Amino acid sequence: MMLASPPGVFIGLTVVLFGGAAFLTGQALAGAWRPVRVAVVYSLLLGAGDRFLVFALFKGELLSFHGYALDSAVIMAICVLAWRFTLAGKMVSQYPWLYERHGPFAWRAREDG
């Protein structure tokens, strides 16, 4: 698969900078008990911002559908994983008598009650 921007730009801008923003977005949305569909919408907006900065700073193609789709998919994956990780932690800490942690992204009902 070909990247729509050079690998250094993709890693630095998309994964590190916008991935960090997506991680924080996912945490904030889960902390506010927002549904995952909101994270998806915000990820698409972050993908548009990423595509614009690739165009403005590194002379990439602005209207590259492939580039936008790939960048947005990476950003969305980071955002949704952060949302789920934070939501699992929040469920366990908010309701410790009902739930226990079951891996980094899940919880389950306590069996001792």
Side-chain angles (χ1 to χ4, degrees):
M1 180 193 296
M2 296 284 298
L3 297 175
S5 56
V9 172
F10 178 78
I11 291 170
L13 194 62
T14 302
V15 176
V16 175
L17 185 66
F18 278 89
F23 187 83
L24 294 174
T25 301
Q27 283 186 322
L29 292 173
W33 298 98
R34 301 299 306 249
V36 73
R37 66 180 176 269
V38 177
V40 170
V41 171
Y42 286 165
S43 298
L44 294 173
L45 292 173
L46 284 171
D50 178 62
R51 198 74 237 152
F52 175 74
L53 286 183
V54 168
F55 165 74
L57 298 176
F58 303 103
K59 298 181 181 173
E61 187 178 342
L62 178 62
L63 300 177
S64 168
F65 176 75
H66 173 73
Y68 173 72
L70 180 63
D71 294 350
S72 294
V74 169
I75 291 168
M76 192 178 302
I78 294 169
C79 187
V80 169
L81 287 175
W83 177 84
R84 185 65 182 187
F85 180 77
T86 304
L87 188 66
K90 194 166 175 76
M91 288 294 288
V92 171
S93 66
Q94 186 102 12
Y95 307 107
W97 65 92
L98 291 176
Y99 302 113
E100 63 187 6
R101 198 77 182 228
H102 186 67
F105 302 107
W107 62 92
R108 65 179 170 202
R110 295 184 73 87
E111 296 177 6
D112 57 321

